[in-house]
Amino acid sequence: SHQPATLVVEATTQALAFVADLNATYGDVPLDLNATASSGQPVSYASSDSSVVEVNGAQLIVRGAGSAVVTASQGGTANYGPAPDLNATVQVDPAPLSVVAHAASKAYLESVPQLPYGLVGFVNDENASALTSLPTIETNATASSPVGSYAITVSGGTADDYLLSHQPATLVVEATTQ
């Protein structure tokens, strides 16, 4: 006598491979995400903080300085069970921004001129409005400072997505005509 039986084909397990840590600088081009599923099925991604990095398909768009966790997922199919999620930490460093004092000159006994500075290194078409506080510029020269060279210094200033460096210049006090 013959007794029939049932063969059950179950979904097989799958695993993900994913880079554990990604690094970028504010203003960088999008980062390619390269997680792979052992099943060959497409992998999806999610960011824990879209103000730092935003997921766009298989790329991360850098949005701001900070840290975020990107999760790679593959939910499974009829033939493959879901893969355990994998996380990668993304560290986005601030972009460098130089505060550059401009050289100036004046004649002895003239008022100290307005001292300008420039901001060099903005990314993403940003400008000084990206600063949360403005740098200051000064010199220790006065109208009555004798002929010579005096340092012009810049200091301070802050921005969420920039790391400021300061470059000094020189104020030259020249002899006045008489």
Side-chain angles (χ1 to χ4, degrees), residues 94-99 119 131 133-135 155-159 162-166:
L97 183 68
S98 297
V99 182
L119 300 166
L131 299 174
S133 67
L134 294 174
S155 61
T158 58
Y162 294 93
L163 180 61
L164 279 65
S165 64
H166 303 89

Side-chain angles (χ1 to χ4, degrees), residues 57-124:
Q59 287 190 322
L60 285 180
I61 299 173
V62 177
R63 296 288 184 206
S67 183
V69 174
V70 174
T71 302
S73 302
Q74 206 315 302
T77 65
N79 294 323
Y80 292 95
D85 290 351
L86 287 180
N87 294 324
T89 301
V90 180
Q91 178 63 45
V92 178
D93 294 327
L97 183 68
S98 297
V99 182
V100 181
H102 294 276
S105 63
K106 74 172 208 75
Y108 174 67
L109 295 179
E110 282 184 356
S111 298
V112 173
Q114 184 174 357
L115 302 172
Y117 61 83
L119 300 166
V120 179
F122 282 114
V123 298
N124 301 330

Side-chain angles (χ1 to χ4, degrees), residues 24-31 52-54 60-65 92 124:
T25 299
Y26 180 65
D28 279 356
V29 297
L31 302 170
V52 176
V53 288
E54 178 184 332
L60 285 180
I61 299 173
V62 177
R63 296 288 184 206
V92 178
N124 301 330

Side-chain angles (χ1 to χ4, degrees), residues 18-19 23 27 29 36 41 43 53-54 61 70 94 96 103 112 126 137 139 148 167-168:
F18 192 32
V19 173
N23 295 309
V29 297
T36 57
Q41 299 296 314
V43 177
V53 288
E54 178 184 332
I61 299 173
V70 174
V112 173
E126 292 179 331
I137 186 166
T139 183
Q167 297 177 11

